[in-house]
Amino acid sequence: DAGVIQSPRHEVTEMGQEVTLRCKPISGHNSLFWYRQTMMRGLELLIYFNNNVPIDDSGMPEDRFSAKMPNASFSTLKIQPSEPRDSAVYFCASSLGRRETQYFGPGTRLLVL
Amino acid sequence: AQSVSQHNHHVILSEAASLELGCNYSYGGTVNLFWYVQYPGQHLQLLLKYFSGDPLVKGIKGFEAEFIKSKFSFNLRKPSVQWSDTAEYFCAVNALNTDKLIFGTGTRLQVFP
Protein backbone atom coordinates (compact mmCIF):
# COMPACT_ATOMS: atom_id res chain seq x y z
CA ASP A 1 0.00 0.00 0.00
CA ALA A 2 1.22 3.50 -0.79
CA GLY A 3 0.30 4.86 2.60
CA VAL A 4 -1.38 8.18 3.18
CA ILE A 5 -0.67 10.56 0.32
CA GLN A 6 -0.61 14.31 0.76
CA SER A 7 -0.14 17.10 -1.74
CA PRO A 8 1.51 19.44 -2.16
CA ARG A 9 4.51 18.60 0.01
CA HIS A 10 5.51 22.25 0.21
CA GLU A 11 3.48 25.37 -0.34
CA VAL A 12 4.63 28.96 -0.21
CA THR A 13 1.96 31.60 -0.62
CA GLU A 14 1.25 35.20 0.18
CA MET A 15 -1.04 36.41 2.88
CA GLY A 16 -4.63 36.59 1.71
CA GLN A 17 -4.35 33.81 -0.83
CA GLU A 18 -6.43 30.64 -0.72
CA VAL A 19 -4.57 27.45 0.13
CA THR A 20 -5.89 23.95 -0.51
CA LEU A 21 -4.23 20.91 0.97
CA ARG A 22 -5.11 17.44 -0.24
CA CYS A 23 -5.10 14.00 1.30
CA LYS A 24 -5.70 10.49 0.05
CA PRO A 25 -6.14 8.04 2.94
CA ILE A 26 -5.07 4.42 2.92
CA SER A 27 -7.57 2.35 0.97
CA GLY A 28 -10.10 0.74 3.28
CA HIS A 29 -9.57 3.17 6.13
CA ASN A 30 -12.78 4.87 7.16
CA SER A 31 -11.45 7.50 9.57
CA LEU A 32 -9.44 10.52 8.49
CA PHE A 33 -7.76 13.14 10.65
CA TRP A 34 -6.19 16.53 9.92
CA TYR A 35 -3.46 17.78 12.28
CA ARG A 36 -1.33 20.91 12.43
CA GLN A 37 2.17 20.88 13.87
CA THR A 38 4.02 23.98 15.03
CA MET A 39 6.95 24.54 17.32
CA MET A 40 4.83 26.55 19.73
CA ARG A 41 1.74 24.35 19.94
CA GLY A 42 2.98 20.90 18.97
CA LEU A 43 0.52 18.56 17.28
CA GLU A 44 -3.06 19.75 17.23
CA LEU A 45 -6.06 17.86 15.90
CA LEU A 46 -8.03 20.15 13.62
CA ILE A 47 -10.87 17.93 12.44
CA TYR A 48 -11.68 14.30 11.84
CA PHE A 49 -14.06 12.38 9.64
CA ASN A 50 -15.63 8.97 10.02
CA ASN A 51 -17.16 7.40 6.91
CA ASN A 52 -16.74 10.75 5.13
CA VAL A 53 -18.77 12.61 7.76
CA PRO A 54 -17.13 15.32 9.89
CA ILE A 55 -17.37 14.19 13.50
CA ASP A 56 -15.51 16.84 15.43
CA ASP A 57 -14.22 20.13 14.05
CA SER A 58 -13.67 21.80 17.40
CA GLY A 59 -9.96 22.06 16.68
CA MET A 60 -10.41 24.18 13.57
CA PRO A 61 -8.90 27.53 14.56
CA GLU A 62 -11.43 29.80 12.90
CA ASP A 63 -13.83 30.22 10.01
CA ARG A 64 -10.99 30.70 7.58
CA PHE A 65 -10.39 26.95 7.83
CA SER A 66 -12.69 24.42 6.21
CA ALA A 67 -12.40 20.73 5.41
CA LYS A 68 -14.31 18.38 3.18
CA MET A 69 -14.34 14.69 2.43
CA PRO A 70 -16.45 14.17 -0.68
CA ASN A 71 -15.64 10.46 -0.87
CA ALA A 72 -13.72 7.74 0.94
CA SER A 73 -10.50 8.36 -0.96
CA PHE A 74 -10.10 12.13 -0.85
CA SER A 75 -10.15 15.00 1.59
CA THR A 76 -9.22 18.67 1.42
CA LEU A 77 -8.29 21.26 3.99
CA LYS A 78 -8.77 24.81 2.80
CA ILE A 79 -7.55 28.06 4.30
CA GLN A 80 -9.12 31.21 2.91
CA PRO A 81 -7.72 33.80 3.35
CA SER A 82 -4.36 32.56 4.59
CA GLU A 83 -2.34 34.45 7.21
CA PRO A 84 1.32 34.20 8.26
CA ARG A 85 0.32 32.54 11.55
CA ASP A 86 -1.07 29.61 9.54
CA SER A 87 2.49 28.64 8.63
CA ALA A 88 2.96 25.08 9.91
CA VAL A 89 3.20 21.49 8.82
CA TYR A 90 -0.22 19.99 8.16
CA PHE A 91 -0.54 16.23 8.52
CA CYS A 92 -3.30 13.96 7.38
CA ALA A 93 -3.75 10.58 9.04
CA SER A 94 -6.12 7.69 8.47
CA SER A 95 -7.19 4.64 10.44
CA LEU A 96 -9.37 1.58 10.10
CA GLY A 97 -11.63 2.80 12.84
CA ARG A 98 -12.11 5.77 15.06
CA ARG A 99 -9.91 4.38 17.83
CA GLU A 100 -7.50 2.31 15.81
CA THR A 101 -3.89 3.09 14.97
CA GLN A 102 -3.51 6.24 12.91
CA TYR A 103 -1.12 6.24 9.97
CA PHE A 104 0.29 9.60 9.02
CA GLY A 105 1.05 11.10 5.66
CA PRO A 106 4.29 12.96 4.87
CA GLY A 107 2.74 16.32 5.63
CA THR A 108 2.44 19.62 3.78
CA ARG A 109 4.84 22.30 4.88
CA LEU A 110 3.00 25.61 4.48
CA LEU A 111 4.66 28.99 4.56
CA VAL A 112 2.49 32.07 4.35
CA LEU A 113 4.45 35.24 3.68
CA ALA B 1 -9.79 17.33 30.18
CA GLN B 2 -7.52 14.52 29.14
CA SER B 3 -3.85 15.31 28.87
CA VAL B 4 -0.57 13.60 28.12
CA SER B 5 2.66 14.67 29.77
CA GLN B 6 6.13 14.02 28.50
CA HIS B 7 8.45 15.41 31.12
CA ASN B 8 11.68 15.06 29.17
CA HIS B 9 11.68 17.75 26.52
CA HIS B 10 15.21 17.22 25.28
CA VAL B 11 17.44 14.22 25.92
CA ILE B 12 21.06 13.95 24.84
CA LEU B 13 22.81 10.59 24.92
CA SER B 14 25.89 8.90 23.60
CA GLU B 15 25.59 5.82 21.46
CA ALA B 16 25.08 2.59 23.44
CA ALA B 17 23.53 4.44 26.38
CA SER B 18 20.20 3.25 27.68
CA LEU B 19 17.07 5.30 27.09
CA GLU B 20 13.90 5.81 29.04
CA LEU B 21 11.35 8.46 28.05
CA GLY B 22 8.52 9.18 30.41
CA CYS B 23 4.84 9.45 29.47
CA ASN B 24 1.96 10.02 31.86
CA TYR B 25 -1.69 10.56 31.06
CA SER B 26 -4.59 11.91 33.03
CA TYR B 27 -7.53 9.71 32.01
CA GLY B 28 -8.71 7.11 34.51
CA GLY B 29 -10.66 4.80 32.23
CA THR B 30 -9.64 2.31 29.58
CA VAL B 31 -7.11 3.67 27.11
CA ASN B 32 -5.20 2.78 23.97
CA LEU B 33 -1.58 3.94 24.13
CA PHE B 34 0.90 4.75 21.38
CA TRP B 35 4.44 5.90 20.82
CA TYR B 36 5.21 7.59 17.52
CA VAL B 37 8.61 8.68 16.21
CA GLN B 38 9.33 11.58 13.87
CA TYR B 39 12.75 11.55 12.22
CA PRO B 40 14.07 14.93 11.08
CA GLY B 41 11.98 16.26 8.22
CA GLN B 42 9.74 13.22 8.11
CA HIS B 43 6.24 12.26 9.14
CA LEU B 44 5.16 10.45 12.27
CA GLN B 45 5.64 6.71 12.28
CA LEU B 46 4.23 4.22 14.74
CA LEU B 47 6.85 2.73 17.07
CA LEU B 48 4.56 0.60 19.19
CA LYS B 49 1.09 0.47 20.69
CA TYR B 50 -0.80 -1.02 23.59
CA PHE B 51 -4.48 -1.93 23.42
CA SER B 52 -4.73 -4.80 25.93
CA GLY B 53 -2.92 -7.88 27.21
CA ASP B 54 0.74 -8.01 28.19
CA PRO B 55 1.62 -4.56 29.54
CA LEU B 56 5.16 -4.88 28.20
CA VAL B 57 4.98 -4.06 24.53
CA LYS B 58 7.76 -4.54 22.02
CA GLY B 59 7.98 -2.34 18.96
CA ILE B 60 10.22 -1.75 16.01
CA LYS B 61 13.95 -1.00 16.16
CA GLY B 62 14.44 -2.52 19.61
CA PHE B 63 12.07 -0.19 21.43
CA GLU B 64 9.72 -1.35 24.14
CA ALA B 65 7.24 0.29 26.48
CA GLU B 66 5.59 -0.71 29.71
CA PHE B 67 2.03 0.19 30.64
CA ILE B 68 1.67 0.67 34.38
CA LYS B 69 -2.00 1.32 35.01
CA SER B 70 -1.59 2.30 38.65
CA LYS B 71 0.85 5.02 37.66
CA PHE B 72 -0.99 6.12 34.50
CA SER B 73 2.31 5.70 32.71
CA PHE B 74 3.56 4.29 29.42
CA ASN B 75 7.32 4.83 29.41
CA LEU B 76 9.43 4.09 26.35
CA ARG B 77 12.73 2.24 26.70
CA LYS B 78 15.64 1.08 24.61
CA PRO B 79 18.66 -0.64 26.18
CA SER B 80 21.22 0.71 23.73
CA VAL B 81 20.55 3.71 21.48
CA GLN B 82 22.10 4.36 18.11
CA TRP B 83 22.87 7.58 16.28
CA SER B 84 20.01 6.76 13.92
CA ASP B 85 17.56 7.00 16.84
CA THR B 86 17.96 10.78 16.78
CA ALA B 87 14.38 11.96 16.38
CA GLU B 88 11.39 13.37 18.20
CA TYR B 89 9.26 10.91 20.14
CA PHE B 90 5.58 11.43 20.84
CA CYS B 91 3.41 9.60 23.30
CA ALA B 92 -0.31 9.52 22.48
CA VAL B 93 -3.38 8.33 24.32
CA ASN B 94 -6.82 7.48 23.05
CA ALA B 95 -9.41 7.19 25.78
CA LEU B 96 -12.07 4.73 24.77
CA ASN B 97 -14.90 7.16 25.46
CA THR B 98 -13.58 9.49 22.80
CA ASP B 99 -12.31 9.26 19.25
CA LYS B 100 -9.51 11.74 19.72
CA LEU B 101 -5.85 10.85 19.96
CA ILE B 102 -4.20 13.18 22.44
CA PHE B 103 -0.49 13.74 21.86
CA GLY B 104 2.17 14.76 24.33
CA THR B 105 4.43 17.67 23.50
CA GLY B 106 7.19 15.35 22.35
CA THR B 107 10.73 14.57 23.47
CA ARG B 108 13.62 15.46 21.24
CA LEU B 109 16.34 12.81 21.43
CA GLN B 110 19.84 13.51 20.21
CA VAL B 111 22.30 10.65 20.08
CA PHE B 112 25.97 11.42 19.56
CA PRO B 113 28.42 8.88 18.16
Side-chain angles (χ1 to χ4, degrees), chain A residues 37 48 56 98 102 105, chain B residues 36 38 43 94 98-100:
Chain A
Q37 185 180 37
Y48 72 93
D56 186 340
R98 290 157 76 164
Q102 294 182 24
Chain B
Y36 283 87
Q38 187 176 29
H43 63 288
N94 174 217
T98 176
D99 298 330
K100 293 184 179 180

Side-chain angles (χ1 to χ4, degrees), chain A residues 9 33 35 37 39 42-43 45 48 55-56 58-59 89 91 98-107 109, chain B residues 32 34 36 38 41-46 49 51 88 90 94-101 103-105 108:
Chain A
R9 295 292 306 276
F33 306 80
Y35 291 88
Q37 185 180 37
M39 289 289 290
L43 264 168
L45 177 65
Y48 72 93
I55 303 299
D56 186 340
S58 60
V89 181
F91 289 104
R98 290 157 76 164
R99 302 188 188 98
E100 297 295 322
T101 302
Q102 294 182 24
Y103 295 88
F104 284 75
R109 189 173 296 273
Chain B
N32 291 339
F34 305 83
Y36 283 87
Q38 187 176 29
Q42 296 190 26
H43 63 288
L44 278 80
Q45 302 171 41
L46 182 69
K49 63 185 179 184
F51 282 11
E88 189 149 16
F90 293 90
N94 174 217
L96 295 193
N97 68 343
T98 176
D99 298 330
K100 293 184 179 180
L101 192 59
F103 282 87
T105 51
R108 185 177 299 275

Side-chain angles (χ1 to χ4, degrees), chain A residues 18-19 21 34-38 44-47 57-68 76-90 110 112:
Chain A
E18 177 180 295
V19 174
L21 311 181
W34 281 102
Y35 291 88
R36 178 172 67 176
Q37 185 180 37
T38 61
E44 303 173 276
L45 177 65
L46 300 178
I47 184 171
D57 65 355
S58 60
M60 297 284 260
E62 47 199 275
D63 292 345
R64 296 184 298 106
F65 286 70
S66 62
K68 294 182 180 179
T76 60
L77 178 67
K78 187 175 292 187
I79 309 173
Q80 166 63 17
S82 58
E83 296 183 4
R85 58 193 168 121
D86 302 330
S87 297
V89 181
Y90 291 82
L110 174 66
V112 183

Side-chain angles (χ1 to χ4, degrees), chain A residues 32 47-57 67-69:
Chain A
L32 183 140
I47 184 171
Y48 72 93
F49 296 82
N50 192 54
N51 293 323
N52 312 338
V53 176
I55 303 299
D56 186 340
D57 65 355
K68 294 182 180 179
M69 192 164 185

